[in-house]
Short mmCIF file of all heavy atoms in Angstrom, two decimals:
data_model
loop_
_atom_site.label_atom_id
_atom_site.label_comp_id
_atom_site.label_asym_id
_atom_site.label_seq_id
_atom_site.Cartn_x
_atom_site.Cartn_y
_atom_site.Cartn_z
N MET A 1 -12.17 -3.10 -18.55
CA MET A 1 -10.82 -3.42 -17.99
C MET A 1 -9.79 -3.37 -19.17
O MET A 1 -10.01 -3.91 -20.18
CB MET A 1 -10.87 -4.79 -17.43
CG MET A 1 -9.62 -5.13 -16.53
SD MET A 1 -9.90 -6.69 -15.65
CE MET A 1 -9.93 -6.07 -13.97
N ASP A 2 -8.63 -2.79 -18.97
CA ASP A 2 -7.63 -2.75 -20.05
C ASP A 2 -6.46 -3.73 -19.80
O ASP A 2 -6.45 -4.48 -18.77
CB ASP A 2 -7.03 -1.35 -20.14
CG ASP A 2 -6.41 -0.86 -18.86
OD1 ASP A 2 -6.04 -1.72 -17.98
OD2 ASP A 2 -6.26 0.38 -18.65
N PHE A 3 -5.58 -3.93 -20.77
CA PHE A 3 -4.50 -4.87 -20.68
C PHE A 3 -3.71 -4.65 -19.43
O PHE A 3 -3.25 -5.63 -18.75
CB PHE A 3 -3.61 -4.80 -21.85
CG PHE A 3 -4.27 -5.40 -23.12
CD1 PHE A 3 -4.36 -4.65 -24.32
CD2 PHE A 3 -4.64 -6.71 -23.19
CE1 PHE A 3 -4.84 -5.14 -25.48
CE2 PHE A 3 -5.16 -7.25 -24.28
CZ PHE A 3 -5.30 -6.47 -25.40
N SER A 4 -3.39 -3.43 -19.09
CA SER A 4 -2.55 -3.21 -17.97
C SER A 4 -3.21 -3.63 -16.65
O SER A 4 -2.58 -4.22 -15.87
CB SER A 4 -2.32 -1.65 -17.85
OG SER A 4 -1.58 -1.35 -16.64
N SER A 5 -4.52 -3.38 -16.54
CA SER A 5 -5.25 -3.88 -15.25
C SER A 5 -5.25 -5.44 -15.23
O SER A 5 -5.06 -5.99 -14.18
CB SER A 5 -6.64 -3.34 -15.26
OG SER A 5 -6.58 -1.88 -15.23
N ILE A 6 -5.45 -6.01 -16.38
CA ILE A 6 -5.54 -7.45 -16.43
C ILE A 6 -4.13 -8.03 -15.96
O ILE A 6 -4.11 -9.00 -15.22
CB ILE A 6 -5.97 -7.95 -17.84
CG1 ILE A 6 -7.38 -7.54 -18.04
CG2 ILE A 6 -5.76 -9.47 -17.95
CD1 ILE A 6 -7.87 -7.78 -19.51
N LEU A 7 -3.08 -7.49 -16.57
CA LEU A 7 -1.70 -8.02 -16.20
C LEU A 7 -1.44 -7.76 -14.83
O LEU A 7 -0.79 -8.60 -14.10
CB LEU A 7 -0.71 -7.31 -17.10
CG LEU A 7 0.72 -7.77 -17.04
CD1 LEU A 7 0.78 -9.37 -17.16
CD2 LEU A 7 1.66 -7.10 -17.99
N ASP A 8 -1.77 -6.55 -14.24
CA ASP A 8 -1.56 -6.27 -12.86
C ASP A 8 -2.27 -7.33 -11.99
O ASP A 8 -1.57 -7.86 -11.00
CB ASP A 8 -2.04 -4.90 -12.47
CG ASP A 8 -1.21 -3.73 -13.07
OD1 ASP A 8 -0.03 -3.96 -13.47
OD2 ASP A 8 -1.69 -2.60 -13.02
N GLU A 9 -3.50 -7.54 -12.24
CA GLU A 9 -4.31 -8.48 -11.48
C GLU A 9 -3.71 -9.88 -11.58
O GLU A 9 -3.55 -10.65 -10.57
CB GLU A 9 -5.79 -8.42 -11.86
CG GLU A 9 -6.65 -9.26 -11.00
CD GLU A 9 -8.05 -9.12 -11.31
OE1 GLU A 9 -8.55 -7.99 -11.81
OE2 GLU A 9 -8.87 -10.11 -11.13
N SER A 10 -3.40 -10.28 -12.77
CA SER A 10 -2.82 -11.69 -13.00
C SER A 10 -1.51 -11.81 -12.25
O SER A 10 -1.21 -12.85 -11.74
CB SER A 10 -2.65 -11.97 -14.53
OG SER A 10 -4.02 -11.91 -15.07
N ALA A 11 -0.68 -10.83 -12.29
CA ALA A 11 0.73 -10.90 -11.62
C ALA A 11 0.49 -10.99 -10.14
O ALA A 11 1.27 -11.66 -9.46
CB ALA A 11 1.60 -9.79 -12.08
N SER A 12 -0.51 -10.31 -9.62
CA SER A 12 -0.84 -10.25 -8.26
C SER A 12 -1.31 -11.66 -7.72
O SER A 12 -0.90 -12.20 -6.71
CB SER A 12 -1.74 -9.14 -7.82
OG SER A 12 -2.05 -9.27 -6.48
N LYS A 13 -2.30 -12.21 -8.45
CA LYS A 13 -2.96 -13.52 -8.08
C LYS A 13 -2.20 -14.71 -8.44
O LYS A 13 -2.16 -15.65 -7.69
CB LYS A 13 -4.32 -13.59 -8.80
CG LYS A 13 -5.41 -12.67 -8.23
CD LYS A 13 -6.69 -12.89 -8.95
CE LYS A 13 -7.75 -12.04 -8.29
NZ LYS A 13 -9.11 -12.28 -8.98
N TYR A 14 -1.41 -14.68 -9.51
CA TYR A 14 -0.73 -15.90 -10.09
C TYR A 14 0.64 -15.57 -10.48
O TYR A 14 1.09 -15.84 -11.59
CB TYR A 14 -1.48 -16.40 -11.30
CG TYR A 14 -3.04 -16.51 -11.13
CD1 TYR A 14 -3.81 -15.59 -11.92
CD2 TYR A 14 -3.63 -17.36 -10.29
CE1 TYR A 14 -5.23 -15.68 -11.75
CE2 TYR A 14 -4.98 -17.47 -10.15
CZ TYR A 14 -5.78 -16.55 -10.84
OH TYR A 14 -7.11 -16.54 -10.74
N PRO A 15 1.45 -15.11 -9.69
CA PRO A 15 2.80 -14.64 -10.01
C PRO A 15 3.72 -15.75 -10.62
O PRO A 15 4.54 -15.47 -11.45
CB PRO A 15 3.46 -14.06 -8.74
CG PRO A 15 2.69 -14.68 -7.64
CD PRO A 15 1.26 -14.93 -8.16
N ASP A 16 3.52 -16.93 -10.21
CA ASP A 16 4.43 -18.06 -10.66
C ASP A 16 3.86 -18.85 -11.70
O ASP A 16 4.47 -19.72 -12.21
CB ASP A 16 4.80 -18.90 -9.40
CG ASP A 16 5.54 -18.12 -8.36
OD1 ASP A 16 6.40 -17.24 -8.72
OD2 ASP A 16 5.34 -18.39 -7.19
N ARG A 17 2.70 -18.53 -12.20
CA ARG A 17 2.09 -19.30 -13.34
C ARG A 17 2.57 -18.79 -14.59
O ARG A 17 2.92 -17.59 -14.73
CB ARG A 17 0.60 -19.12 -13.35
CG ARG A 17 -0.10 -19.85 -12.26
CD ARG A 17 -1.60 -19.98 -12.50
NE ARG A 17 -2.31 -20.50 -11.31
CZ ARG A 17 -3.61 -20.57 -11.28
NH1 ARG A 17 -4.43 -20.11 -12.17
NH2 ARG A 17 -4.18 -21.10 -10.16
N ILE A 18 2.66 -19.65 -15.57
CA ILE A 18 3.23 -19.27 -16.87
C ILE A 18 2.20 -18.49 -17.52
O ILE A 18 0.94 -18.80 -17.74
CB ILE A 18 3.48 -20.60 -17.79
CG1 ILE A 18 4.54 -21.45 -17.11
CG2 ILE A 18 3.84 -20.15 -19.17
CD1 ILE A 18 5.87 -20.75 -16.98
N ALA A 19 2.62 -17.22 -18.04
CA ALA A 19 1.76 -16.36 -18.81
C ALA A 19 1.79 -16.47 -20.26
O ALA A 19 0.77 -16.43 -20.95
CB ALA A 19 2.08 -14.93 -18.40
N VAL A 20 2.97 -16.60 -20.84
CA VAL A 20 3.20 -16.71 -22.28
C VAL A 20 4.25 -17.74 -22.56
O VAL A 20 5.24 -17.87 -21.77
CB VAL A 20 3.42 -15.37 -22.91
CG1 VAL A 20 2.36 -14.37 -22.84
CG2 VAL A 20 4.74 -14.70 -22.30
N VAL A 21 4.10 -18.32 -23.70
CA VAL A 21 5.17 -19.23 -24.15
C VAL A 21 5.46 -18.91 -25.63
O VAL A 21 4.54 -18.65 -26.41
CB VAL A 21 4.69 -20.66 -24.04
CG1 VAL A 21 5.72 -21.67 -24.72
CG2 VAL A 21 4.30 -21.16 -22.64
N ALA A 22 6.65 -18.86 -26.00
CA ALA A 22 7.11 -18.57 -27.39
C ALA A 22 8.25 -19.43 -27.69
O ALA A 22 9.33 -19.29 -27.04
CB ALA A 22 7.49 -17.13 -27.56
N GLY A 23 8.02 -20.46 -28.47
CA GLY A 23 9.05 -21.44 -28.83
C GLY A 23 9.39 -22.23 -27.57
O GLY A 23 8.55 -22.74 -26.89
N ASN A 24 10.68 -22.13 -27.23
CA ASN A 24 11.21 -22.93 -25.98
C ASN A 24 11.37 -21.98 -24.78
O ASN A 24 11.90 -22.36 -23.80
CB ASN A 24 12.43 -23.63 -26.31
CG ASN A 24 13.62 -22.77 -26.66
OD1 ASN A 24 13.42 -21.54 -26.89
ND2 ASN A 24 14.78 -23.29 -26.83
N GLN A 25 10.81 -20.74 -24.92
CA GLN A 25 10.94 -19.76 -23.91
C GLN A 25 9.56 -19.55 -23.18
O GLN A 25 8.57 -19.65 -23.96
CB GLN A 25 11.46 -18.40 -24.39
CG GLN A 25 12.85 -18.41 -24.91
CD GLN A 25 13.27 -17.08 -25.36
OE1 GLN A 25 12.57 -16.46 -26.17
NE2 GLN A 25 14.45 -16.68 -25.01
N SER A 26 9.56 -19.14 -22.00
CA SER A 26 8.25 -18.79 -21.34
C SER A 26 8.54 -17.69 -20.29
O SER A 26 9.68 -17.58 -19.82
CB SER A 26 7.60 -19.98 -20.70
OG SER A 26 8.37 -20.57 -19.68
N LEU A 27 7.41 -17.03 -19.87
CA LEU A 27 7.52 -16.13 -18.80
C LEU A 27 6.41 -16.36 -17.91
O LEU A 27 5.19 -16.57 -18.24
CB LEU A 27 7.37 -14.65 -19.42
CG LEU A 27 8.50 -14.16 -20.14
CD1 LEU A 27 8.22 -12.79 -20.71
CD2 LEU A 27 9.80 -13.96 -19.31
N THR A 28 6.66 -16.10 -16.57
CA THR A 28 5.56 -16.10 -15.64
C THR A 28 4.82 -14.81 -15.69
O THR A 28 5.35 -13.81 -16.25
CB THR A 28 6.09 -16.29 -14.14
OG1 THR A 28 6.98 -15.24 -13.87
CG2 THR A 28 6.87 -17.76 -14.05
N PHE A 29 3.67 -14.77 -15.00
CA PHE A 29 3.00 -13.42 -14.93
C PHE A 29 3.81 -12.37 -14.24
O PHE A 29 3.80 -11.17 -14.71
CB PHE A 29 1.59 -13.54 -14.18
CG PHE A 29 0.60 -14.12 -15.08
CD1 PHE A 29 0.14 -15.48 -14.96
CD2 PHE A 29 -0.04 -13.40 -16.12
CE1 PHE A 29 -0.81 -15.98 -15.70
CE2 PHE A 29 -1.01 -13.94 -16.89
CZ PHE A 29 -1.42 -15.27 -16.75
N ALA A 30 4.52 -12.77 -13.20
CA ALA A 30 5.35 -11.72 -12.41
C ALA A 30 6.49 -11.26 -13.45
O ALA A 30 6.74 -10.07 -13.48
CB ALA A 30 5.98 -12.41 -11.26
N ALA A 31 7.11 -12.14 -14.10
CA ALA A 31 8.26 -11.74 -14.99
C ALA A 31 7.80 -10.99 -16.16
O ALA A 31 8.38 -9.95 -16.50
CB ALA A 31 9.01 -13.02 -15.53
N LEU A 32 6.60 -11.29 -16.75
CA LEU A 32 6.00 -10.50 -17.83
C LEU A 32 5.70 -9.08 -17.29
O LEU A 32 5.94 -8.11 -17.89
CB LEU A 32 4.76 -11.30 -18.45
CG LEU A 32 4.06 -10.51 -19.47
CD1 LEU A 32 5.03 -10.25 -20.74
CD2 LEU A 32 2.85 -11.34 -19.95
N HIS A 33 4.99 -9.05 -16.16
CA HIS A 33 4.72 -7.72 -15.49
C HIS A 33 5.93 -6.85 -15.41
O HIS A 33 5.82 -5.69 -15.64
CB HIS A 33 3.94 -8.05 -14.15
CG HIS A 33 3.41 -6.80 -13.54
ND1 HIS A 33 4.21 -6.07 -12.69
CD2 HIS A 33 2.20 -6.12 -13.68
CE1 HIS A 33 3.48 -5.00 -12.31
NE2 HIS A 33 2.25 -5.07 -12.87
N ASP A 34 6.97 -7.40 -14.84
CA ASP A 34 8.21 -6.72 -14.61
C ASP A 34 8.72 -6.19 -15.96
O ASP A 34 9.13 -4.98 -16.07
CB ASP A 34 9.19 -7.51 -13.92
CG ASP A 34 10.50 -6.76 -13.71
OD1 ASP A 34 10.42 -5.82 -12.99
OD2 ASP A 34 11.51 -7.21 -14.16
N ARG A 35 8.80 -7.03 -16.95
CA ARG A 35 9.35 -6.57 -18.23
C ARG A 35 8.51 -5.45 -18.87
O ARG A 35 9.06 -4.55 -19.36
CB ARG A 35 9.40 -7.78 -19.15
CG ARG A 35 10.54 -8.82 -18.97
CD ARG A 35 10.45 -10.02 -19.82
NE ARG A 35 10.35 -9.66 -21.28
CZ ARG A 35 11.13 -10.34 -22.15
NH1 ARG A 35 12.03 -11.15 -21.77
NH2 ARG A 35 11.07 -9.90 -23.40
N VAL A 36 7.16 -5.70 -18.83
CA VAL A 36 6.32 -4.68 -19.38
C VAL A 36 6.41 -3.38 -18.67
O VAL A 36 6.45 -2.30 -19.23
CB VAL A 36 4.83 -5.27 -19.37
CG1 VAL A 36 3.78 -4.06 -19.75
CG2 VAL A 36 4.73 -6.31 -20.41
N ALA A 37 6.43 -3.43 -17.30
CA ALA A 37 6.57 -2.14 -16.56
C ALA A 37 7.80 -1.41 -16.77
O ALA A 37 7.85 -0.16 -16.94
CB ALA A 37 6.44 -2.45 -15.06
N ARG A 38 8.91 -2.13 -16.92
CA ARG A 38 10.19 -1.48 -17.19
C ARG A 38 10.29 -0.90 -18.58
O ARG A 38 10.73 0.20 -18.84
CB ARG A 38 11.43 -2.51 -17.05
CG ARG A 38 11.68 -2.78 -15.56
CD ARG A 38 12.88 -3.74 -15.33
NE ARG A 38 12.72 -4.98 -15.79
CZ ARG A 38 13.46 -5.67 -16.69
NH1 ARG A 38 14.46 -4.98 -17.26
NH2 ARG A 38 13.20 -6.80 -17.04
N LEU A 39 9.72 -1.59 -19.52
CA LEU A 39 9.75 -1.10 -20.90
C LEU A 39 8.77 0.14 -21.12
O LEU A 39 9.11 1.18 -21.73
CB LEU A 39 9.26 -2.19 -21.93
CG LEU A 39 9.29 -1.70 -23.47
CD1 LEU A 39 10.75 -1.18 -23.80
CD2 LEU A 39 8.97 -2.85 -24.36
N ALA A 40 7.59 0.08 -20.43
CA ALA A 40 6.69 1.15 -20.43
C ALA A 40 7.34 2.44 -19.76
O ALA A 40 7.18 3.60 -20.34
CB ALA A 40 5.42 0.87 -19.72
N GLY A 41 8.07 2.18 -18.77
CA GLY A 41 8.85 3.31 -18.11
C GLY A 41 9.82 3.88 -19.06
O GLY A 41 10.09 5.06 -19.04
N GLY A 42 10.50 2.97 -19.84
CA GLY A 42 11.50 3.43 -20.71
C GLY A 42 10.79 4.27 -21.87
O GLY A 42 11.40 5.28 -22.33
N PHE A 43 9.62 3.80 -22.36
CA PHE A 43 8.92 4.62 -23.32
C PHE A 43 8.60 6.05 -22.82
O PHE A 43 8.85 7.04 -23.46
CB PHE A 43 7.56 3.93 -23.70
CG PHE A 43 7.78 2.75 -24.59
CD1 PHE A 43 6.75 1.78 -24.70
CD2 PHE A 43 8.87 2.47 -25.41
CE1 PHE A 43 6.84 0.60 -25.49
CE2 PHE A 43 9.08 1.39 -26.23
CZ PHE A 43 8.02 0.50 -26.26
N ILE A 44 8.17 6.10 -21.56
CA ILE A 44 7.87 7.41 -20.93
C ILE A 44 9.09 8.21 -20.83
O ILE A 44 9.13 9.39 -21.13
CB ILE A 44 7.13 7.23 -19.57
CG1 ILE A 44 5.83 6.62 -19.70
CG2 ILE A 44 7.08 8.49 -18.79
CD1 ILE A 44 5.15 6.04 -18.48
N GLY A 45 10.27 7.62 -20.42
CA GLY A 45 11.56 8.25 -20.30
C GLY A 45 12.00 8.84 -21.70
O GLY A 45 12.71 9.91 -21.65
N LEU A 46 11.64 8.22 -22.71
CA LEU A 46 11.94 8.78 -24.09
C LEU A 46 11.04 9.86 -24.53
O LEU A 46 11.20 10.42 -25.67
CB LEU A 46 11.87 7.59 -25.11
CG LEU A 46 12.94 6.61 -25.04
CD1 LEU A 46 12.67 5.40 -25.91
CD2 LEU A 46 14.34 7.18 -25.25
N GLY A 47 9.97 10.19 -23.63
CA GLY A 47 9.09 11.22 -24.07
C GLY A 47 7.90 10.78 -24.70
O GLY A 47 6.99 11.59 -25.25
N LEU A 48 7.63 9.54 -24.85
CA LEU A 48 6.35 9.02 -25.50
C LEU A 48 5.21 9.21 -24.53
O LEU A 48 5.36 9.14 -23.32
CB LEU A 48 6.44 7.52 -25.82
CG LEU A 48 7.54 7.19 -26.96
CD1 LEU A 48 7.72 5.73 -27.09
CD2 LEU A 48 7.05 7.79 -28.30
N ALA A 49 4.04 9.46 -25.20
CA ALA A 49 2.86 9.77 -24.27
C ALA A 49 1.65 9.07 -24.91
O ALA A 49 1.69 8.64 -26.05
CB ALA A 49 2.61 11.32 -24.29
N PRO A 50 0.66 8.90 -24.14
CA PRO A 50 -0.66 8.27 -24.67
C PRO A 50 -0.97 8.97 -25.95
O PRO A 50 -0.96 10.19 -26.10
CB PRO A 50 -1.64 8.49 -23.64
CG PRO A 50 -0.88 8.58 -22.35
CD PRO A 50 0.43 9.26 -22.69
N GLY A 51 -1.31 8.17 -26.98
CA GLY A 51 -1.66 8.65 -28.29
C GLY A 51 -0.58 8.62 -29.28
O GLY A 51 -0.86 8.70 -30.54
N ASP A 52 0.67 8.54 -28.79
CA ASP A 52 1.82 8.44 -29.71
C ASP A 52 1.88 7.10 -30.28
O ASP A 52 1.29 6.03 -29.78
CB ASP A 52 3.14 8.62 -28.96
CG ASP A 52 3.35 10.07 -28.52
OD1 ASP A 52 2.55 10.99 -29.01
OD2 ASP A 52 4.36 10.28 -27.70
N ARG A 53 2.51 6.97 -31.44
CA ARG A 53 2.49 5.65 -32.18
C ARG A 53 3.83 5.02 -32.07
O ARG A 53 4.94 5.71 -32.13
CB ARG A 53 2.12 5.87 -33.59
CG ARG A 53 0.74 6.34 -33.83
CD ARG A 53 0.27 6.18 -35.08
NE ARG A 53 -1.24 6.38 -35.12
CZ ARG A 53 -1.88 7.41 -35.63
NH1 ARG A 53 -1.24 8.42 -36.08
NH2 ARG A 53 -3.17 7.50 -35.53
N ILE A 54 3.90 3.77 -31.95
CA ILE A 54 5.08 2.90 -31.92
C ILE A 54 5.02 1.86 -32.96
O ILE A 54 3.89 1.23 -33.13
CB ILE A 54 5.26 2.25 -30.52
CG1 ILE A 54 5.42 3.36 -29.44
CG2 ILE A 54 6.49 1.26 -30.57
CD1 ILE A 54 5.30 2.69 -28.06
N ALA A 55 6.09 1.75 -33.73
CA ALA A 55 6.06 0.64 -34.83
C ALA A 55 7.14 -0.32 -34.58
O ALA A 55 8.25 0.11 -34.06
CB ALA A 55 6.23 1.36 -36.23
N THR A 56 6.95 -1.52 -34.93
CA THR A 56 7.91 -2.59 -34.91
C THR A 56 7.67 -3.54 -35.95
O THR A 56 6.45 -3.86 -36.25
CB THR A 56 8.04 -3.17 -33.47
OG1 THR A 56 9.08 -4.17 -33.32
CG2 THR A 56 6.79 -3.93 -33.14
N VAL A 57 8.73 -4.15 -36.35
CA VAL A 57 8.62 -5.27 -37.40
C VAL A 57 9.59 -6.34 -36.80
O VAL A 57 10.74 -6.16 -36.80
CB VAL A 57 9.02 -4.89 -38.83
CG1 VAL A 57 8.88 -6.10 -39.65
CG2 VAL A 57 8.12 -3.77 -39.35
N MET A 58 8.92 -7.41 -36.35
CA MET A 58 9.79 -8.53 -35.80
C MET A 58 9.02 -9.81 -35.70
O MET A 58 7.65 -9.72 -35.81
CB MET A 58 10.25 -8.16 -34.39
CG MET A 58 9.21 -7.81 -33.41
SD MET A 58 9.84 -7.05 -31.82
CE MET A 58 11.05 -8.17 -31.32
N PRO A 59 9.55 -10.89 -35.71
CA PRO A 59 8.81 -12.21 -35.65
C PRO A 59 8.08 -12.32 -34.28
O PRO A 59 8.49 -11.58 -33.24
CB PRO A 59 9.92 -13.29 -35.80
CG PRO A 59 11.18 -12.54 -35.32
CD PRO A 59 11.06 -11.15 -35.70
N ASN A 60 7.10 -13.18 -34.17
CA ASN A 60 6.45 -13.44 -32.88
C ASN A 60 7.47 -13.88 -31.78
O ASN A 60 8.33 -14.76 -32.16
CB ASN A 60 5.40 -14.54 -33.06
CG ASN A 60 4.20 -14.12 -33.90
OD1 ASN A 60 4.04 -12.91 -34.16
ND2 ASN A 60 3.49 -15.08 -34.51
N SER A 61 7.47 -13.29 -30.78
CA SER A 61 8.49 -13.64 -29.68
C SER A 61 7.99 -13.02 -28.35
O SER A 61 7.04 -12.22 -28.31
CB SER A 61 9.86 -12.99 -30.01
OG SER A 61 9.72 -11.56 -30.06
N LEU A 62 8.73 -13.32 -27.30
CA LEU A 62 8.37 -12.72 -26.00
C LEU A 62 8.71 -11.19 -26.04
O LEU A 62 7.99 -10.51 -25.35
CB LEU A 62 9.25 -13.40 -24.92
CG LEU A 62 8.91 -14.91 -24.67
CD1 LEU A 62 9.84 -15.38 -23.58
CD2 LEU A 62 7.56 -15.14 -24.27
N ASP A 63 9.67 -10.79 -26.76
CA ASP A 63 10.02 -9.35 -26.86
C ASP A 63 8.83 -8.68 -27.60
O ASP A 63 8.38 -7.56 -27.16
CB ASP A 63 11.24 -9.13 -27.76
CG ASP A 63 12.44 -9.55 -26.95
OD1 ASP A 63 12.46 -9.67 -25.66
OD2 ASP A 63 13.50 -9.88 -27.63
N LEU A 64 8.23 -9.23 -28.70
CA LEU A 64 7.10 -8.58 -29.35
C LEU A 64 5.87 -8.49 -28.37
O LEU A 64 5.28 -7.45 -28.29
CB LEU A 64 6.69 -9.39 -30.54
CG LEU A 64 5.46 -8.85 -31.30
CD1 LEU A 64 5.73 -7.44 -31.86
CD2 LEU A 64 5.12 -9.77 -32.48
N ILE A 65 5.63 -9.51 -27.60
CA ILE A 65 4.54 -9.47 -26.59
C ILE A 65 4.72 -8.39 -25.63
O ILE A 65 3.84 -7.54 -25.34
CB ILE A 65 4.38 -10.86 -25.98
CG1 ILE A 65 3.83 -11.86 -26.95
CG2 ILE A 65 3.40 -10.75 -24.76
CD1 ILE A 65 3.88 -13.32 -26.49
N THR A 66 5.95 -8.32 -25.16
CA THR A 66 6.38 -7.19 -24.19
C THR A 66 6.19 -5.79 -24.78
O THR A 66 5.55 -4.98 -24.13
CB THR A 66 7.85 -7.41 -23.78
OG1 THR A 66 8.02 -8.69 -23.16
CG2 THR A 66 8.16 -6.38 -22.67
N ILE A 67 6.54 -5.63 -25.96
CA ILE A 67 6.44 -4.34 -26.60
C ILE A 67 4.95 -4.00 -26.81
O ILE A 67 4.51 -2.95 -26.54
CB ILE A 67 7.07 -4.31 -28.06
CG1 ILE A 67 8.66 -4.32 -27.83
CG2 ILE A 67 6.71 -3.19 -28.84
CD1 ILE A 67 9.34 -4.59 -29.11
N LEU A 68 4.18 -4.97 -27.30
CA LEU A 68 2.75 -4.75 -27.46
C LEU A 68 1.98 -4.33 -26.13
O LEU A 68 1.19 -3.41 -26.17
CB LEU A 68 2.06 -5.91 -28.07
CG LEU A 68 2.49 -6.24 -29.49
CD1 LEU A 68 1.86 -7.63 -29.94
CD2 LEU A 68 2.05 -5.16 -30.52
N LEU A 69 2.32 -5.06 -25.12
CA LEU A 69 1.67 -4.76 -23.78
C LEU A 69 2.22 -3.44 -23.22
O LEU A 69 1.44 -2.78 -22.60
CB LEU A 69 1.93 -5.87 -22.83
CG LEU A 69 1.19 -7.21 -23.22
CD1 LEU A 69 1.58 -8.40 -22.19
CD2 LEU A 69 -0.30 -7.00 -23.12
N ALA A 70 3.46 -3.20 -23.37
CA ALA A 70 4.04 -1.95 -22.81
C ALA A 70 3.51 -0.73 -23.62
O ALA A 70 3.29 0.29 -22.92
CB ALA A 70 5.57 -1.98 -22.88
N SER A 71 3.29 -0.80 -24.81
CA SER A 71 2.74 0.27 -25.63
C SER A 71 1.24 0.50 -25.41
O SER A 71 0.72 1.62 -25.62
CB SER A 71 3.08 0.06 -27.10
OG SER A 71 2.33 -1.08 -27.55
N ALA A 72 0.57 -0.45 -24.88
CA ALA A 72 -0.84 -0.29 -24.59
C ALA A 72 -1.07 0.53 -23.37
O ALA A 72 -2.01 1.20 -23.12
CB ALA A 72 -1.52 -1.77 -24.45
#
């Protein structure tokens, strides 16, 4: 099972449960799933494909979690 499948299943079973917390911000599984799906679609729209590399340097945050999951 990969990250995408786990997130899909979690968003389906537990949409309103908190998935991640970073500082004073949090996201439910449904909100995280939506953010990840939109960003992954954006990556595809930019022409990125499986096997391509993405680099980022940023502090731990909800945005970083979204980027990591979307790039997976």
Side-chain angles (χ1 to χ4, degrees):
M1 194 173 247
D2 59 21
F3 286 122
S4 178
S5 299
I6 293 168
L7 183 56
D8 288 345
E9 186 173 329
S10 297
S12 176
K13 287 184 177 180
Y14 316 109
D16 297 324
R17 287 191 188 174
I18 299 298
V20 292
V21 176
N24 61 353
Q25 297 179 311
S26 64
L27 288 175
T28 64
F29 280 105
L32 179 61
H33 184 270
D34 180 62
R35 284 174 56 129
V36 168
R38 287 186 293 123
L39 183 57
F43 286 159
I44 292 167
L46 290 172
L48 294 171
D52 289 348
R53 294 195 167 110
I54 298 170
T56 183
V57 176
M58 59 191 310
N60 293 339
S61 65
L62 297 179
D63 291 335
L64 178 61
I65 292 167
T66 302
I67 290 167
L68 293 173
L69 291 172
S71 64

